[in-house]
């Protein structure tokens, strides 16, 4: 299925059925959504947007972002979503690197040589041109999603219409989505997870989506009870906050068929707490932008193994590879590699990095994993996060999961700190649940019964909140900077995380 024609097809089949909702416009029917997409495409066309162009969209979570996405596709153009929290120079870099000549933004940011449009500009009905829908090829660029840039300048991940077709088709099949499904979007729309899982997949299935703004655990369940979605997708940090709400919070979750988790591995203990407390089925998956979002998932109907991220999604092959390029036997650790129609075309204008990431026909994820005898994948850690202490390989996630098992712990992150003799040593940053108390000696004693002595953190820093990046993952580069020998900085919850 070519998603560019989705708005018109939905409008033709069921014009009065709900399509998208947000706090700004309320609910748009299929017919109203298609009309807005058509109007926006005409506006884009007057500013030179055509097949092969790239439109930059820098908006908070709102329907206008989805309208702009489909409007660009209607013209055969691609979209690069821009994190609205980025500083001006960071926005300028992404817009220039992507080759965008049109920027849709909510705050009037002006860049030299770039046409700036406000969301309200896209609703103009007097654009002066009539645009016939383009017929883009499935191999044409659809999305240009920029990585977080923790190892240098952010890279543009090139995702084609074929990638999106394969990914949304796999999500519809794996999650049994149909016209009765209604997703509640709580993740940022500048990230591929929010776009694919919470918007494109339900719309493709004939369902609808409600778009929310910034996640707030205090108001989330009120929104859920009003919207009555059948599912939502979150990250471990979101579920941690929900699990830590006061016990008197007893929301009505009866509309939910399931909830999903991605972006980072989720401790099995936290999955159990969420399922037991809120009476929901939590399906954990795994993927990355370079794979168009998801590559594995615990089955919705079938055996779910907490602590794993499930089995390969339809159409994809997931394996574990040794450093020499050979696939390792089941039960052995190695780098997770992926094949299939969801694998990116490459990194924009970065042939060497593309060749490295797609070496020998596999997408190299940089994650260390283990496949069990049933094909369930367990993510051990990131290759670059592994700590080598006196020749012993230590995976921080193993320590984090052990820390998380303590009833007083809300969240924990472990990084390596340089050591003059041992090479590196693990250090932990821990946030406690509200009202809980715990000291370093008590925590180390607790861990001594659960992990080997050489894995024990040599120091524990208690903080109000573990810093996270914009997609909810622990900001480990910042933590490593904080413990570097030359660093005088400290991690504090009062500082704004990047």
């Amino acid at each position: 299925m070519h998603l560019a024609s989705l708005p018109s097809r939905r409008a033709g089949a069921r014009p009065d059925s709900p399509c998208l909702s947000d706090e700004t416009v309320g609910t748009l029917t299929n017919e109203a959504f298609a009309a807005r997409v058509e109007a926006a495409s005409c506006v884009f066309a007057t500013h030179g947007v055509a097949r092969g162009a790239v439109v930059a969209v820098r908006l908070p979570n709102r329907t206008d972002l989805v309208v702009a996405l489909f409007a660009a596709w209607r013209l055969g153009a691609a979209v690069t979503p821009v994190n609205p929290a980025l500083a001006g120079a960071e926005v300028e870099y992404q817009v220039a690197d992507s080759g965008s000549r049109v920027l849709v933004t909510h705050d009037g940011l002006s860049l030299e040589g770039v046409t700036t449009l406000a969301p309200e500009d896209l609703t103009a009905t007097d654009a002066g041109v009539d645009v016939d829908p383009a017929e883009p090829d499935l191999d044409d660029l659809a999305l240009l999603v920029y990585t977080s840039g923790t190892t240098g300048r952010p890279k543009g991940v090139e995702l084609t219409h074929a990638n999106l077709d394969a990914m949304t088709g796999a999500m519809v099949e794996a999650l049994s989505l149909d016209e009765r499904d209604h997703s509640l979007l709580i993740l940022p729309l500048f990230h591929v997870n929010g776009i694919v899982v919470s918007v494109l997949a339900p719309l493709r299935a004939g369902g609808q989506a409600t778009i929310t703004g910034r996640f707030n655990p205090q108001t989330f369940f009120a929104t859920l009870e009003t919207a009555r979605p059948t599912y939502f997708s979150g990250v471990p940090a979101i579920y941690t906050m929900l699990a830590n709400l006061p016990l008197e919070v007893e929301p009505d979750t009866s509309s939910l068929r399931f909830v999903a988790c991605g972006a980072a591995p989720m401790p099995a203990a936290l999955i159990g707490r969420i399922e037991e407390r809120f009476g929901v089925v939590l399906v954990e998956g795994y993927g990355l932008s370079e794979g168009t979002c998801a590559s594995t998932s615990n089955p919705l109907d079938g055996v779910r193994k907490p602590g794993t991220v499930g089995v390969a999604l339809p159409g994809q092959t997931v394996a574990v590879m040794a450093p020499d390029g050979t696939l390792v036997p089941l039960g052995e650790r190695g780098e997770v590699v992926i094949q299939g129609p969801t694998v990116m075309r490459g990194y924009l204008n970065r042939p060497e990095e593309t060749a490295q990431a797609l070496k020998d026909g596999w997408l190299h994820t940089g994650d260390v994993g283990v496949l069990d005898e049933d094909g369930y994948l367990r993510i051990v850690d990131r290759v670059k996060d592994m700590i080598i202490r006196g020749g012993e390989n230590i995976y921080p996630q193993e320590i984090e999961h052990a820390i998380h098992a303590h009833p007083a712990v809300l969240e924990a992150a472990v990084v390596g700190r340089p050591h003059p003799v041992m090479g590196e040593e693990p250090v932990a940053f821990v946030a406690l649940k509200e009202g809980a108390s715990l000291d370093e000696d008590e925590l180390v004693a607790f861990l001594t019964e659960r992990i080997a002595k050489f894995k024990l953190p040599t120091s524990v820093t208690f903080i109000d909140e573990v810093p996270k990046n914009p997609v909810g993952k622990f900001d480990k580069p910042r933590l490593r900077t904080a413990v570097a020998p030359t660093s005088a900085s400290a991690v504090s919850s009062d500082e704004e995380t990047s």
Side-chain angles (χ1 to χ4, degrees):
M1 174 186 291
H2 204 302
L3 294 176
S5 62
L6 186 58
S8 60
R9 284 190 283 105
R10 286 177 58 102
R14 295 191 298 156
D16 297 326
S17 294
C19 182
L20 283 179
S21 304
D22 71 10
E23 296 176 352
T24 304
V25 301
T27 299
L28 293 177
T29 64
N30 287 328
E31 187 173 55
F33 177 62
R36 289 191 57 151
V37 169
E38 182 176 353
S41 69
C42 292
V43 173
F44 282 158
T46 64
H47 295 285
V49 176
R51 184 171 182 173
V54 177
V55 175
V57 182
R58 176 178 174 265
L59 294 173
N61 280 16
R62 53 195 289 179
T63 297
D64 298 300
L65 196 156
V66 184
V67 169
L69 187 72
F70 279 99
W73 290 348
R74 190 171 186 268
L75 300 172
V79 167
T80 184
V82 183
N83 181 355
L86 293 183
E90 294 171 310
V91 176
E92 187 173 11
Y93 165 77
Q94 182 172 334
V95 170
D97 189 70
S98 65
S100 302
R101 290 292 174 265
V102 172
L103 169 67
V104 181
T105 188
H106 59 298
D107 59 1
L109 176 69
S110 178
L111 301 177
E112 186 176 352
V114 177
T115 299
T116 297
L117 298 174
E120 50 268 27
D121 295 331
L122 303 183
T123 63
T125 56
D126 57 349
V129 295
D130 292 322
V131 179
D132 291 327
E135 296 183 3
D137 191 89
L138 280 170
D139 291 330
D140 284 351
L141 184 66
L143 276 178
L144 194 56
V145 179
Y146 276 73
T147 61
S148 59
T150 56
T151 57
R153 282 285 205 177
K155 302 186 290 287
V157 176
E158 297 178 302
L159 300 178
T160 66
H161 285 282
N163 291 147
L164 294 179
D165 174 48
M167 187 73 263
T168 54
M171 296 306 301
V172 169
E173 180 180 346
L175 300 176
S176 302
L177 301 180
D178 61 27
E179 68 278 0
R180 295 167 293 182
D181 278 299
H182 178 181
S183 77
L184 181 64
L185 172 72
I186 58 176
L187 295 177
L189 268 175
F190 63 82
H191 190 259
V192 71
N193 189 319
I195 293 173
V196 171
V197 178
S198 297
V199 176
L200 298 184
L203 294 189
R204 173 174 179 157
Q208 62 176 305
T210 292
I211 299 173
T212 66
R214 187 179 180 90
F215 174 78
N216 182 341
Q218 307 304 322
T219 60
F220 170 72
F221 282 121
T223 301
L224 184 143
E225 290 173 344
T226 299
R228 303 219 29 99
T230 59
Y231 77 95
F232 67 86
S233 179
V235 296
I238 285 175
Y239 290 110
T240 298
M241 287 186 277
L242 294 179
N244 201 45
L245 287 172
L247 293 179
E248 57 265 26
V249 176
E250 298 180 351
D252 177 4
T253 61
S254 59
S255 68
L256 294 171
R257 285 204 298 122
F258 65 92
V259 298
C261 183
M266 189 167 174
L270 180 56
I271 294 175
R273 286 167 57 197
I274 289 292
E275 292 191 329
E276 181 178 356
R277 176 169 181 183
F278 300 116
V280 296
V281 171
L282 193 152
V283 176
E284 186 180 13
Y286 161 78
L288 60 165
S289 297
E290 288 86 342
T292 322
C293 182
S295 292
T296 71
S297 178
N298 268 281
L300 183 58
D301 299 312
V303 176
R304 288 179 291 119
K305 296 186 179 183
T308 78
V309 290
V311 296
L313 286 170
Q316 299 191 54
T317 301
V318 176
V320 176
M321 184 175 286
D324 63 4
T326 60
L327 300 184
V328 305
L330 296 177
E332 292 190 14
R333 292 177 174 180
E335 183 183 14
V336 179
V337 292
I338 299 165
Q339 285 181 338
T342 61
V343 172
M344 68 172 179
R345 185 166 76 185
Y347 294 117
L348 180 68
N349 298 326
R350 302 207 182 193
E352 292 183 2
E353 290 176 76
T354 296
Q356 188 67 25
L358 302 180
K359 186 178 178 181
D360 299 325
W362 292 91
L363 170 61
H364 291 252
T365 67
D367 290 311
V368 181
V370 180
L371 283 169
D372 71 12
E373 65 279 3
D374 298 316
Y376 285 71
L377 177 66
R378 179 167 61 89
I379 300 298
V380 177
D381 224 313
R382 291 287 293 169
V383 171
K384 63 182 178 60
D385 286 346
M386 185 178 71
I387 301 166
I388 303 177
R389 182 185 191 187
E392 295 280 2
N393 292 345
I394 300 174
Y395 296 94
Q397 278 183 19
E398 184 179 358
I399 306 173
E400 290 164 0
H401 287 191
I403 296 173
H404 198 276
H406 195 287
V409 172
L410 179 64
E411 53 188 10
V414 174
V415 297
R417 177 171 63 190
H419 188 276
V421 177
M422 304 300 288
E424 290 180 291
E425 59 185 0
V427 296
F429 294 85
V430 177
L432 300 180
K433 295 176 182 176
E434 187 175 353
S437 63
L438 183 68
D439 63 30
E440 181 172 350
D441 290 341
E442 291 173 328
L443 179 58
V444 172
F446 176 83
L447 295 176
T448 299
E449 300 178 2
R450 288 162 176 79
I451 57 177
K453 185 177 180 180
F454 71 88
K455 299 177 184 178
L456 292 173
T458 57
S459 73
V460 178
T461 301
F462 291 96
I463 53 180
D464 292 337
E465 180 183 354
V466 177
K468 302 169 188 69
N469 66 20
V471 295
K473 297 181 182 180
F474 290 148
D475 192 348
K476 291 197 173 182
R478 178 180 169 188
L479 294 178
R480 280 191 284 266
T481 299
V483 299
T486 58
S487 173
S489 64
V491 177
S492 166
S493 61
D494 296 328
E495 299 176 62
E496 184 174 346
T497 60
S498 60

